[in-house]
Amino acid sequence: EAGGQGHDAMQFVADTVVNRVHSPKFPNTVEGVIYQKGQFEWTKHNRHRTTQDLTRTRDRMMKRKDPHGNHNWIWLDAMEVASTSLSNGYKPKTNALYFSTKTIKAHSYSYRHHSKHKR
C-alpha cells in the first residue's frame, strides 16, 4: 500500500493492519483486514489467490528503484516490514486504525502525527 513512500510509511501501514486485526471494529485476520472492501487500494486491484499472483507482484515490485537507483529495494523492504510486523509479540508503534496515503510521506513520516485515530 505504501510501497513507493519509504520504510516508515510501510511500517505505519503494517501497524495499522495489526491494530485492525486486534480491534472489534474490523475482521480478526490479516487477510480479512487487507481484503476488506474499500480499505486498501492495492488489494482492490491485486488479490493474491495463488503463488503465481504473488510472483507477478514481486516481479513488478522488483523492477522499481529506490531514490538512489537501487533495484529490489521496495520488495525487500516490504518483506522485512511484513515479517517483523507479523512476528509473535510484535507491538505496533502506534494505535492508529486509519491512515491517508496523502499524509504518509517518505523521510518526513512521524508516528505521532498519524496516531490521532486510536483503537
Side-chain angles (χ1 to χ4, degrees):
E1 189 69 21
Q5 299 174 349
H7 179 87
D8 289 340
M10 285 190 270
Q11 188 63 62
F12 184 75
V13 171
D15 284 356
T16 301
V17 169
V18 171
N19 289 334
R20 286 181 179 192
V21 168
H22 295 290
S23 170
K25 298 176 184 179
F26 294 92
N28 63 357
T29 66
V30 171
E31 183 178 23
V33 167
I34 65 173
Y35 289 116
Q36 187 176 21
K37 186 175 181 178
Q39 296 301 307
F40 293 93
E41 188 67 22
W42 175 261
T43 55
K44 177 179 171 183
H45 302 291
N46 299 284
R47 187 147 182 118
H48 303 109
R49 292 189 175 97
T50 67
T51 303
Q52 292 156 332
D53 292 340
L54 190 56
T55 298
R56 276 193 296 276
T57 299
R58 182 201 64 207
D59 292 347
R60 244 182 307 156
M61 289 180 73
M62 289 182 76
K63 290 178 184 175
R64 295 182 184 177
K65 296 179 182 179
D66 74 1
H68 305 290
N70 300 317
H71 284 284
N72 304 337
W73 171 79
I74 294 171
W75 175 258
L76 296 173
D77 203 24
M79 292 299 98
E80 177 191 336
V81 167
S83 177
T84 299
S85 301
L86 296 174
S87 64
N88 284 335
Y90 177 76
K91 302 252 189 258
K93 295 176 183 76
T94 178
N95 291 325
L97 292 174
Y98 302 94
F99 63 89
S100 167
T101 55
K102 293 177 183 174
T103 59
I104 297 175
K105 306 265 187 227
H107 310 296
S108 65
Y109 172 78
S110 166
Y111 278 113
R112 289 186 314 274
H113 177 72
H114 296 286
S115 61
K116 63 183 175 183
H117 298 287
K118 304 285 184 191
R119 60 174 149 153

